[in-house]
Amino acid sequence: MHAWPTPSITAVAGDPVPLQLHDTADQRVKPVDVTPDANGEVAMYVCGITPYDSPLLGHAATYLTFDLVYRQLLANGHKVRYVQNVTDVDDPLFERAERDGVDWRELGDSQTDLFRSDMEELSVIPPRDYIGAMEAIDEVIAMVQRLLHTGAAYELTDQDTGVTDIYAPIDATPQFGYESNLDRATMEEYFAERGGDPERPGKRDPLDALLWGGHREGEPAWESPFGAGRPGWHVECSAIATNRLGKQFSIQGGGSDLAFPHHEFSAAHAEAAYDVPRMAGHYVHAGMISLDGVKMSKSLGNLVFVHKLTEAGHDPSAIRLAVFAGHYRKDRDFSQDILEDAERRLALWRTNLAQEVEAERVQGVVDKLREALANDLDTPAALALLDEAPGDHDGMLAAAIEGLLGVRVAA
């Protein structure tokens, strides 16, 4: 699967400032492990979309967060291998396609194309590997086989239909739960809300996660040594990530709603399969976006789409600034007022940077900008700093703003 075109990435003046990010597992801000892998790269995996509907601004905000991470690593001189998936085989996609009377593959393709377009408009640096679940079926099968062989998976046959599914028990690793730090009651709540099947009869534990769903009428299926079927959600990401980034890598990221069960189980599958204590050095999660203080919902009709904003003439750089006005880890609000503030801010920066000032003054601003963003992507501090910028020198600050924030201020 192809991604989208790479935007121009400007060089940033000044010395590198080591990146620190909040780790959900350790519940603290700590330095990112930038030890190069065997290919001399820092590895990052971010969970992609399930393409059953048009991508929302909230989706874009997550990928803008990890675009910032990518940019800080590049500006610090690191080579980065960035992998992202597309869950193009999943129940929400099938259900929406059936409701709308369209082929689920065509629906997935159309919404993935729209997502690519949004990312290109917002100057998001694409992943090197953009992998659909259907492309990774063989990888999933190999991981499920490995888990079965090590005793970290079990078969469960539906007594009514005779269909056999494969599940991963939560006790397959002793450290299960370390990534999300949730208590049992909260795990059960989120598992039921976020794609789990706690009521499935015969499971060893209600929280055990589906690895491979046996073939059921009306669903797509692929042949495997353990019967025809399709992959579970969590193992898809686990297989795609570890096959490209190794058993352990620097960063796994996504929205805060993925911390459990998705990231907990994708990590647990890898850890059980490869006998490692921890899949990622950092588990990084971006907060949710609401509209005028209310969670976005189709029933309320308060959805914000990136393509609608750009079609209405809003500058993609202003959209980025509207998202960056709040810290990435917090649940943030979006409104027309916030967008208008961002547009005024962008105009202010363009006016201020038209003034030519001494190189030393500008270098001082660039250094502080690096420091703010290296401190757990402190975009509110970075934006406030740039509001007071005295001017530019030979495009140095404009290049830093574009390189680190992806915001274009140059004429």
Side-chain angles (χ1 to χ4, degrees), residues 84-162:
Q84 188 180 130
N85 73 307
V86 179
T87 303
D88 54 3
V89 179
D90 203 14
D91 290 333
L93 181 60
F94 306 147
E95 292 162 4
R96 183 62 54 87
E98 183 176 3
R99 187 201 71 179
D100 295 347
V102 298
D103 182 85
W104 61 272
R105 297 173 187 81
E106 292 178 2
L107 175 63
D109 288 345
S110 67
Q111 299 311 305
T112 302
D113 284 343
L114 185 54
F115 176 76
R116 291 189 186 101
S117 177
D118 286 351
M119 296 297 99
E120 182 179 0
E121 285 276 2
L122 291 173
S123 297
V124 172
I125 303 172
R128 182 190 309 176
D129 304 271
Y130 194 51
I131 310 296
M134 285 191 287
E135 296 177 88
I137 295 295
D138 289 346
E139 299 171 37
V140 171
I141 290 171
M143 179 168 270
V144 174
Q145 282 184 289
R146 190 180 187 99
L147 291 169
L148 283 167
H149 179 72
T150 60
Y154 64 92
E155 296 183 343
L156 178 60
T157 301
D158 187 311
Q159 298 304 312
D160 295 327
T161 65

Side-chain angles (χ1 to χ4, degrees), residues 12-18 72 75-76 359-375 381-382 385-386 396-397 400-401 404:
V12 181
D15 296 327
V17 180
Q72 310 322 301
N76 283 347
E360 292 77 10
R361 296 178 68 188
V362 174
Q363 186 61 65
V365 176
V366 173
D367 291 344
K368 291 178 181 177
L369 178 60
R370 279 182 173 272
E371 290 169 4
L373 293 172
N375 180 23
L385 167 72
L386 294 172
M396 183 195 305
L397 184 53
I401 292 171
L404 294 171

Side-chain angles (χ1 to χ4, degrees), residues 40-260:
E41 298 168 319
V42 179
M44 177 170 70
Y45 183 88
V46 177
C47 294
I49 61 168
T50 301
Y52 65 90
D53 205 352
S54 298
L56 299 172
L57 181 66
H59 297 123
T62 293
Y63 302 108
L64 287 172
T65 294
F66 293 97
D67 186 58
L68 289 182
V69 173
Y70 199 164
R71 289 172 181 274
Q72 310 322 301
L73 293 171
L74 290 176
N76 283 347
H78 302 295
K79 295 180 179 179
V80 180
R81 184 164 187 181
Y82 176 21
V83 178
Q84 188 180 130
N85 73 307
V86 179
T87 303
D88 54 3
V89 179
D90 203 14
D91 290 333
L93 181 60
F94 306 147
E95 292 162 4
R96 183 62 54 87
E98 183 176 3
R99 187 201 71 179
D100 295 347
V102 298
D103 182 85
W104 61 272
R105 297 173 187 81
E106 292 178 2
L107 175 63
D109 288 345
S110 67
Q111 299 311 305
T112 302
D113 284 343
L114 185 54
F115 176 76
R116 291 189 186 101
S117 177
D118 286 351
M119 296 297 99
E120 182 179 0
E121 285 276 2
L122 291 173
S123 297
V124 172
I125 303 172
R128 182 190 309 176
D129 304 271
Y130 194 51
I131 310 296
M134 285 191 287
E135 296 177 88
I137 295 295
D138 289 346
E139 299 171 37
V140 171
I141 290 171
M143 179 168 270
V144 174
Q145 282 184 289
R146 190 180 187 99
L147 291 169
L148 283 167
H149 179 72
T150 60
Y154 64 92
E155 296 183 343
L156 178 60
T157 301
D158 187 311
Q159 298 304 312
D160 295 327
T161 65
V163 174
T164 297
D165 302 310
I166 300 176
Y167 281 87
I170 64 169
D171 61 2
T173 59
Q175 67 269 29
F176 183 84
Y178 79 93
E179 182 271 338
S180 61
N181 290 288
L182 299 177
D183 59 36
R184 172 77 189 204
T186 306
M187 285 185 181
E188 291 177 349
E189 176 187 349
Y190 287 172
F191 190 77
E193 292 176 353
R194 299 172 179 175
D197 57 353
E199 303 301 323
R200 170 70 189 270
K203 287 171 59 174
R204 297 178 185 173
D205 188 291
L207 293 179
D208 291 352
L210 181 70
L211 287 169
W212 185 261
H215 184 216
R216 289 166 172 79
E217 187 176 353
E219 294 183 357
W222 289 263
E223 292 299 327
S224 81
F226 31 82
R230 60 184 174 92
W233 177 28
H234 316 308
V235 71
E236 165 204 340
C237 282
S238 194
I240 289 172
T242 55
N243 273 289
R244 287 156 187 82
L245 303 178
K247 304 171 186 178
Q248 296 176 288
F249 51 89
S250 292
I251 299 169
Q252 183 186 37
S256 59
D257 57 339
L258 296 184
F260 191 89

Side-chain angles (χ1 to χ4, degrees), residues 313-389:
H314 295 291
D315 190 321
S317 287
I319 298 171
R320 288 183 73 110
L321 287 177
V323 171
F324 297 158
H327 193 269
Y328 80 93
R329 277 196 284 125
K330 296 181 178 178
D331 290 343
R332 291 158 287 166
D333 195 29
F334 183 84
S335 68
Q336 185 64 31
D337 287 345
I338 291 173
L339 181 56
E340 290 175 0
D341 286 345
E343 290 173 329
R344 285 191 289 269
R345 169 172 266 149
L346 183 60
L348 172 69
W349 291 4
R350 287 172 172 166
T351 298
N352 288 351
L353 267 63
Q355 309 302 313
E356 193 76 7
V357 299
E358 297 87 352
E360 292 77 10
R361 296 178 68 188
V362 174
Q363 186 61 65
V365 176
V366 173
D367 291 344
K368 291 178 181 177
L369 178 60
R370 279 182 173 272
E371 290 169 4
L373 293 172
N375 180 23
D376 196 28
L377 307 180
D378 190 351
T379 53
L383 271 52
L385 167 72
L386 294 172
D387 288 345
E388 304 299 323

Side-chain angles (χ1 to χ4, degrees), residues 284-297:
V284 182
H285 296 102
M288 301 291 102
I289 301 290
S290 59
L291 178 65
D292 296 318
V294 180
K295 182 179 179 181
M296 292 186 193
S297 166

